[in-house]
Amino acid sequence: MKNQQITNLIHLLEDKARIYPDKVAYIFLADGKNISDSLTYLQLAEKAKTVAGYLQSKVKRSERVILLYPSGLDFIIAFFGCIYAGIIGIPLPPPDMFRKASNLARIRTVIEDAKATLVLTPSNLLSQLGEISSEFNNIQWLSIENIDEQSIKKWNKPSLSPDNIAYLQYTSGSTGEPKGVIITHNNLLNFFPNISLTVYLRSDSKMLSWQPHFHDGGLVGALLISLYVGITCYIISPFTFIKKPLCWLQLISNYKITHSSAPNFAYDYCVSAINNLQKNLQKIENLDLSSWQTAGNGSEPINIETLERFTKTFAPYGFSETAFSPGYGLAENTLTISQKKTLEKLTFRQVLPEFLAENKVVETTKPEGKIIVSCGVPIPNTKIVIVNPENLTQLSSNEVGEIWVKSPSVARGYWNKPKVSKQTFKAYLADTKEGSFLRTGDLGFLKEGELFVTGRLKDLIIIRGQNYYPQDFEQTVKKCHQQLQNNSSAAFCVKVENVEQLIIVAEIDNSKNINFDEVIMQIRQTIAQQYQLSVYAVVLIKQGTIPKTSSGKIQRKACGFQFLNSQLNVIYSWCLKNQIFTDKI
């Protein structure tokens, strides 16, 4: 704003509406091809004020409001309506996203946890929410589609300090108990310039996103960062991408997109899609990916094979390997902690897995070495230390430990959870007393200033005192049979008679004539040969039913819970002692 420091998101949007009143801020392509709706910066500011004037007559300042919206511009208007009203919005997946039953359960949990007083959702979804709205008849369930435009005159601009809460970002929750991360205006306004420098976002950049807006990657990494820079953000639905993955790349080509990110599986998915086209003697016409400067990849860890496959497949269409920008982050730090700078080369370390299992980093040139891709350097104003999670002392560059972070982007804590917040957000090194740090719960190491993520501390599998990373087993499993797809299996341990036993759960296509016994035998034999381990149980489940986060990451704990409680959608299974499941088709 003129002669005024920008200290909150209202200031930010008002500033952009003043400078770029007619510039298109957001474009929605409902079918993944044609523009169905758009908003200029001025239109968004005016609509946000109108919604805010209406909301201020319904709820009090700082109350919590659930936002249940499919992809589209209505969510953005509702989100900023909450910001302009001085109330706390909570983006959640609506019941028709991904899995209805689990989403309804999550909505219930968040309503109770946040003590929400209002739910905003499109009118066509209100009927689907009848079951849950009747349980919470003490709160309001409203649509804002037909708000009187005169409501803008009722709007009272709230006084917002940088430390006021902007919104709550609920984590996916591995056991059905998500936590609300408190994101302040200050967290966001510190994050935006730091990530913009790293990925080279400029006034002439263009963003494209299909990542869910209720996930930090879609909300902060696309919608909000685009607003900060003052660029146009193109949006398609995650459903559109899943149905037509190559439309993502076609839109990058058509609109000369410079920045677009996705989880690891999306890049493999595109490779499979174009290979299927070529098998049918088809091809994509006029595909040009040369404008794509930053192809973010926030998977944990980054898969080198995925990056190489995608580069080899799409280099003929103008894609450059330097566009890949692996990064690491989490909602508790607003979003990104480290990321490869745009246009720099990918780097990786090849290490001996037997030493990695002992939390030691020993590099090798031998083919049996495990390749770990760099997640880049810490973004500006961010400090990373690697810590022994047991004695809380800092480790050397040749050791694997828990990743701790200090940054102005670190969130305030979890909503209404002071004890857990203190444990997670207020950590101090035992040897130097330095702090406070955010404990990420992730494992990794630093080499020459770059971060290498090796896995999740709580997902680490320990059998007979030996450490194993579940993603290694999962990568091995996917190669056992062509119907076992990437990012569709989970490896975890359960205690059987006080002994940790390895369990493999994998999705499989049941529509084809497959010998399930052979698949299971192949999994068991491959695990035994590569890791010298016996698998206690292998469970083949229906495609699309393995628990995942909103960003597509496997929820191993939730899978383990379903396994122990016989809640998996089993097609066929095998168990060493045949005590847990009965084989069925």
Side-chain angles (χ1 to χ4, degrees):
M1 301 181 71
K2 256 184 182 177
N3 302 319
Q4 180 177 342
Q5 186 180 5
I6 294 175
T7 60
N8 59 59
L9 292 188
I10 294 180
H11 290 166
L12 182 62
L13 179 50
E14 292 293 299
D15 190 57
K16 291 299 182 286
R18 177 183 61 83
I19 300 172
Y20 311 116
D22 300 321
K23 186 172 184 176
V24 177
Y26 300 102
I27 292 175
F28 182 56
L29 304 100
D31 62 357
K33 184 177 181 181
N34 300 300
I35 295 175
S36 53
D37 204 0
S38 65
L39 275 173
T40 67
Y41 280 104
L42 181 60
Q43 286 173 333
L44 176 57
E46 294 299 296
K47 287 179 180 293
K49 292 173 190 174
T50 302
V51 171
Y54 174 74
L55 293 177
Q56 286 174 332
S57 69
K58 298 293 182 181
V59 292
K60 297 177 182 178
R61 169 80 182 266
S62 297
E63 290 190 351
R64 276 72 61 207
V65 173
I66 307 293
L67 304 175
L68 298 179
Y69 284 87
S71 295
L73 305 189
D74 287 345
F75 164 76
I76 300 172
I77 294 169
F79 178 83
F80 277 99
C82 291
I83 297 291
Y84 270 68
I87 57 181
I88 301 172
I90 304 174
L92 289 181
D96 62 337
M97 289 287 283
F98 303 112
R99 298 171 175 86
K100 181 175 180 180
S102 61
N103 285 341
L104 285 175
R106 188 180 182 204
I107 292 168
R108 289 186 179 94
T109 301
V110 174
I111 287 175
E112 292 174 348
D113 185 75
K115 300 294 187 290
T117 57
L118 175 67
V119 176
L120 292 180
T121 191
S123 56
N124 64 341
L125 289 184
L126 282 173
S127 58
Q128 295 185 38
L129 293 162
E131 171 190 344
I132 189 171
S133 61
S134 62
E135 298 176 28
F136 297 95
N137 53 20
N138 60 322
I139 66 175
Q140 303 176 78
W141 298 72
L142 300 173
S143 168
I144 57 172
E145 294 162 42
N146 298 310
I147 291 178
D148 185 349
E149 292 184 2
Q150 297 303 309
S151 294
I152 193 172
K153 297 178 180 179
K154 301 176 183 178
W155 176 58
N156 292 309
K157 186 176 181 179
S159 176
L160 298 176
S161 75
D163 291 327
N164 281 144
I165 302 172
Y167 62 94
L168 298 183
Q169 178 71 66
Y170 269 79
T171 60
S172 299
S174 59
T175 58
E177 297 180 359
K179 298 184 288 292
V181 180
I182 301 170
I183 303 295
T184 67
H185 293 270
N186 190 54
N187 290 147
L188 292 162
L189 293 173
N190 275 286
F191 173 75
F192 293 150
N194 293 332
I195 191 63
S196 298
L197 286 170
T198 301
V199 299
Y200 200 49
L201 274 166
R202 307 179 307 176
S203 59
D204 60 348
S205 299
K206 291 182 180 180
M207 180 76 71
L208 170 63
S209 176
W210 57 263
Q211 294 193 76
H213 56 252
F214 47 81
H215 182 264
D216 53 343
L219 178 57
V220 182
L223 301 183
L224 297 185
I225 190 62
S226 295
L227 170 67
Y228 171 79
V229 182
I231 60 176
T232 301
C233 181
Y234 297 77
I235 306 163
I236 59 174
S237 164
F239 283 133
T240 301
F241 169 75
I242 295 301
K243 291 178 182 177
K244 301 180 293 183
L246 295 179
C247 79
W248 175 38
L249 306 186
Q250 194 68 67
L251 289 173
I252 290 173
S253 174
N254 293 347
Y255 291 101
K256 305 303 177 187
I257 300 297
T258 59
H259 292 70
S260 192
S261 300
N264 199 83
F265 85 89
Y267 296 101
D268 274 330
Y269 196 33
C270 287
V271 171
S272 297
I274 198 168
N275 286 342
N276 288 336
L277 277 181
Q278 292 169 348
K279 285 179 183 177
N280 296 319
L281 302 179
Q282 295 175 285
K283 62 180 180 179
I284 303 179
E285 297 290 346
N286 304 317
L287 184 67
D288 180 6
L289 301 178
S290 60
S291 66
W292 200 358
Q293 297 175 1
T294 303
N297 185 333
S299 300
E300 300 168 13
I302 309 298
N303 189 333
I304 187 65
E305 294 178 357
T306 295
L307 306 186
E308 290 175 344
R309 276 194 297 269
F310 190 90
T311 300
K312 181 180 179 181
T313 302
F314 290 100
Y317 298 94
F319 182 80
S320 170
E321 183 189 77
T322 60
F324 268 127
S325 182
Y328 165 71
L330 64 167
E332 286 83 350
N333 189 66
T334 305
L335 182 59
T336 309
I337 290 171
S338 70
Q339 190 153 356
K340 182 184 86 66
K341 292 183 178 180
T342 294
L343 303 181
E344 290 188 354
K345 289 185 177 181
L346 286 168
T347 58
F348 58 86
R349 300 281 176 167
Q350 192 162 329
V351 301
L352 291 172
E354 61 267 31
F355 285 96
L356 196 65
E358 299 174 0
N359 296 324
K360 297 177 182 177
V361 181
V362 178
E363 296 191 56
T364 182
T365 57
K366 296 179 180 179
E368 62 266 27
K370 178 179 178 179
I371 295 176
I372 303 177
V373 179
S374 167
C375 288
V377 297
I379 67 173
N381 298 321
T382 299
K383 180 175 183 177
I384 297 175
V385 294
I386 305 300
V387 180
N388 184 317
E390 296 179 358
N391 62 25
L392 308 187
T393 59
Q394 189 169 349
L395 297 172
S396 72
S397 61
N398 292 318
E399 296 176 284
V400 174
E402 185 179 9
I403 301 167
W404 287 22
V405 181
K406 183 189 291 186
S407 162
S409 299
V410 171
R412 183 188 298 177
Y414 296 121
W415 179 262
N416 203 28
K417 289 179 170 56
K419 185 176 180 180
V420 179
S421 294
K422 184 178 181 181
Q423 293 171 346
T424 303
F425 294 87
K426 299 295 180 183
Y428 289 81
L429 292 170
D431 46 357
T432 65
K433 309 303 179 186
E434 183 183 357
S436 60
F437 288 94
L438 164 68
R439 297 189 65 167
T440 67
D442 289 315
L443 295 168
F445 60 91
L446 287 168
K447 278 283 187 180
E448 297 180 4
E450 294 184 275
L451 178 66
F452 297 81
V453 179
T454 58
R456 181 80 181 159
L457 179 62
K458 292 182 179 178
D459 285 342
L460 194 66
I461 294 173
I462 304 175
I463 300 177
R464 296 189 294 276
Q466 186 77 16
N467 293 347
Y468 298 93
Y469 290 96
Q471 61 268 17
D472 290 343
F473 292 127
E474 292 157 7
Q475 285 293 316
T476 299
V477 166
K478 80 163 187 175
K479 298 175 182 177
C480 290
H481 194 279
Q482 62 181 359
Q483 297 306 318
L484 297 171
Q485 302 298 317
N486 188 31
N487 198 45
S488 63
S489 63
F492 53 89
C493 270
V494 299
K495 277 192 176 182
V496 179
E497 297 177 354
N498 291 320
V499 177
E500 294 288 351
Q501 300 285 3
L502 176 62
I503 313 297
I504 300 293
V505 174
E507 292 181 1
I508 194 164
D509 186 355
N510 191 33
S511 64
K512 300 181 179 180
N513 187 19
I514 299 172
N515 187 322
F516 297 119
D517 286 318
E518 285 186 4
V519 174
I520 287 174
M521 181 59 70
Q522 186 62 43
I523 291 173
R524 292 172 57 204
Q525 289 179 345
T526 305
I527 294 291
Q529 290 169 359
Q530 293 194 21
Y531 303 97
Q532 293 75 54
L533 282 177
S534 296
V535 180
Y536 184 80
V538 180
V539 186
L540 304 179
I541 63 174
K542 184 179 178 182
Q543 281 189 313
T545 64
I546 200 163
K548 293 182 180 181
T549 67
S550 57
S551 61
K553 297 173 185 174
I554 298 294
Q555 292 180 298
R556 300 181 183 97
K557 286 191 175 181
C559 194
F561 178 84
Q562 292 183 9
F563 172 83
L564 292 171
N565 290 276
S566 301
Q567 295 175 356
L568 292 168
N569 199 326
V570 181
I571 293 174
Y572 201 82
S573 66
W574 170 90
C575 180
L576 183 63
K577 293 187 178 180
N578 201 28
Q579 292 177 335
I580 299 177
F581 288 100
T582 300
D583 292 355
K584 62 179 182 179
I585 297 179

